[in-house]
Amino acid sequence: MDDRFQYRGDREAYSAARVRALEALLIKKGVITDKSVDTVLDFFETRMGPFNGAKIVAKAWSDPAFKDRLVADTPKAIAELNLPEGMAGAEGEHMRAVANGPDVHNLIICTLCSCYPWPVLGLPPYWYKDPTFRSRAAREPRAVLKEFGLAVPDAMEIKVWDSSAQIRWFVVPERPAGTESLSEMELEALITPEAMMGVAVAKAA
Amino acid sequence: MKLQHYLGGLENLGPVSTEVRVFVEPWETRIFGVHTAMMALSSQLPLPKTPSTFTTIWTWADLRKGAESLNPFDYFKYRYYEKWLGGISGYFISNGYITAEELDALTEEYYKDPAKPLPVAGATEIDDRVVQYLVEGDSPKRDVKVTFEFAVGDTVAIRSVPSVEHTRLPGFLRDKTGIIETVYDGAYTYLCDTGPDGVGEAMPVYCVRFQPSELWPGNAEPNFSLYADLYASYLAPLEGELAAAKAA
C-alpha cells in the first residue's frame, strides 16, 4: 500500500534525531556555531515576541491619539515607545496595524505561507500555519472564527487581510468593557497573540 | 497549477486547528533556529563578512519554493516544521555542504543516543551577524523611481501569470477584479526573481480589496471583504484586459 497516507511509527524520534544530526554537521562544517540556534531562540524569548505587541496595544487603549497614529503610520508610532531595538527588524520592516471597532472585526491571514510580524508578535502559532485555516478563512471567516469560540454577528463587517507582499499585519483589538481602572501593565496581560491576529477578542480578566 | 498556490477558498477540509503553541515538539525549535541563522548568513545581505562557510543564498523564497514543490498530499500530511526539516536538509545536500549519506549515518547515531552532545565550535562573529540580521531586517523597499499606474479607488484586473515554481499571487485572485485600497509608498523588490511570474525587480505594491461574492459566487459569507497586498506586475488596467479579451 502507498505509504503516502501513513506516518513512520517513530515520527517524532526520527525528526528529533535528524535535526540534531543536521545541526551537528553544520557546526562541524563551520556553517553555524554551537550557539547559533540558541542565539536565535533566545532572541525570540527576550526581544521579539507578543510581549511587545501587548505593550503597543495597551498604549493604544490608554491613548486614543496614539492609536490613531499607530493605524496611520505603524512603524513611526511603534518607534515612539521604549521597546527593544529591532522593532523594524526581520519580518517587521513594513508593518501595518488595523483597528477593530464597534462595527468592524479584522482577521489577518497568509494564504500562500505564514507571513507574521515577528518584532511585535514573535513566531506564528500552529493555527496560523495550518493549511486548513489558511484555506477556509479566505472564504468563510465567520465559520472559522466560530471554531475559535468567537461569534461575529452578521451585522459586523469582517475584513480579512491576506499577507502576500511586504506588509506584516496585526490587529488592534477593542478594549474590553470594565477595564477603565486598569494600568497599562495590567491591560497588557489581557492581550493575546490570537486577539492581535483577529481569531479572538480581548477579554476582561 | 500547484495546489499550494490556490489554498485560499479550498473546501471540505474539516475543522481548523486551534493550537496556540508555536512549537509542538522540542526538536522543532532547532530547525527554526537553523533556518533563521541561514537567512542571516545568506550571501546577498550587506552584512559584515564572517568565518562561516555558508556562501550561498537562503531566503524565505527558498523555503517557500520547497513547500510549493511538494506533492500536495504531503503538503497537508506533514506538520509545518517537518516540511522545513525536509526542505533545509535537501538544500544543504544539493548545494554540497553535506552528503545524504553522512546525514543518514549521523541521524542513526543520534537516534540511538539522543543525549550525544553536539560539537562545540564556531566564531562569535557568526552569531553577532545573526543578531544583527534580526535587529536590522532586510527591507525590500528600494529608492528607485517608479510609475504608479493606479490610484486609490481604481478598479483593477488581476492577471493570470504563467504558473512557475514560486509566486506571490494567491491563486484564487487570478482573473478577478478588485479596487485599490492603498498605494504603498515607494518600490519593493522580492527575495528572488520569479521569472515569467513577474516579481523580483523593485515595483509598486498595492493593497487591493475584493468582494467575496465575486471570488466565490453563491458560496461566500455575507458582510466581509478580502484584502490582499499585490505587486504591480500582477495587476492590469480593467479596460485593457477587457479589450484584450474581446480581441482574442
Side-chain angles (χ1 to χ4, degrees), chain B residues 35-239:
Chain B
H35 159 77
T36 303
M38 289 165 74
M39 288 205 300
L41 299 168
S42 185
S43 63
Q44 90 290 358
L45 291 180
L47 292 175
K49 292 265 173 277
T50 77
S52 168
T53 56
F54 194 57
T55 56
T56 48
I57 292 176
W58 176 265
T59 71
W60 288 110
D62 299 282
L63 192 71
R64 292 168 186 159
K65 281 178 202 169
E68 290 166 33
S69 71
L70 286 176
N71 176 298
F73 290 107
D74 287 346
Y75 187 81
F76 274 89
K77 175 183 177 182
Y78 290 111
R79 245 182 9 251
Y80 189 70
Y81 289 113
E82 288 176 308
K83 288 178 270 197
W84 284 37
L85 178 55
I88 291 168
S89 304
Y91 174 88
F92 280 116
I93 292 166
S94 63
N95 282 276
Y97 290 98
I98 62 174
T99 67
E101 293 70 29
E102 62 186 345
L103 181 61
D104 288 344
L106 199 54
T107 300
E108 276 304 302
E109 284 183 38
Y110 279 111
Y111 191 90
K112 286 186 194 127
D113 180 10
K116 182 180 145 87
L118 289 171
V120 175
T124 53
E125 293 92 329
I126 294 175
D127 298 329
D128 290 345
R129 173 161 161 162
V130 170
V131 170
Q132 191 180 347
Y133 162 72
L134 287 168
V135 169
E136 294 180 6
D138 175 26
S139 171
K141 193 171 184 181
R142 295 292 179 271
D143 189 16
V144 296
K145 244 195 147 54
V146 286
T147 307
F148 292 90
E149 209 179 332
F150 307 109
V152 170
D154 285 357
T155 300
V156 292
I158 310 305
R159 298 177 60 211
S160 191
V161 293
S163 173
V164 292
E165 63 176 345
H166 184 41
T167 187
R168 294 310 295 168
L169 175 60
F172 63 95
L173 300 178
R174 285 170 182 258
D175 292 322
K176 305 296 184 189
T177 61
I179 295 171
I180 303 286
E181 189 263 352
T182 307
V183 179
Y184 291 111
D185 176 52
Y188 299 85
T189 59
Y190 184 60
L191 295 160
C192 69
D193 181 339
T194 62
D197 170 78
V199 301
E201 291 281 305
M203 64 180 74
V205 176
Y206 300 90
C207 183
V208 184
R209 177 163 61 89
F210 295 90
Q211 275 311 322
S213 55
E214 190 204 336
L215 300 177
W216 334 107
N219 194 19
E221 286 184 355
N223 202 14
F224 91 95
S225 298
L226 188 136
Y227 298 79
D229 293 323
L230 297 173
Y231 284 94
S233 62
Y234 295 138
L235 308 184
L238 191 56
E239 295 309 313

Side-chain angles (χ1 to χ4, degrees), chain A residues 54-157:
Chain A
K55 287 197 174 77
I56 295 164
V57 170
K59 172 74 178 167
W61 284 353
S62 318
D63 179 349
F66 176 79
K67 183 175 169 181
D68 292 343
R69 295 199 294 282
L70 181 64
V71 170
D73 188 339
T74 305
K76 199 172 159 196
I78 290 175
E80 294 175 26
L81 305 181
N82 185 26
L83 294 172
E85 195 189 10
M87 285 304 107
E91 293 303 297
E93 297 92 342
H94 304 282
M95 290 192 287
R96 199 172 152 192
V98 278
N100 287 348
D103 305 315
V104 62
H105 181 83
N106 292 281
L107 173 64
I108 312 302
I109 64 173
C110 178
T111 60
L112 287 173
C113 48
S114 54
C115 295
Y116 201 72
W118 280 8
V120 299
L121 280 176
L123 301 175
Y126 254 99
W127 63 260
Y128 186 74
K129 306 176 286 207
D130 172 27
T132 299
F133 169 80
R134 291 157 46 211
S135 300
R136 292 184 52 205
R139 190 182 63 83
E140 45 175 2
R142 278 186 173 77
V144 165
L145 293 175
K146 204 167 254 178
E147 289 174 26
F148 280 89
L150 181 64
V152 180
D154 281 354
M156 182 178 273
E157 184 189 8

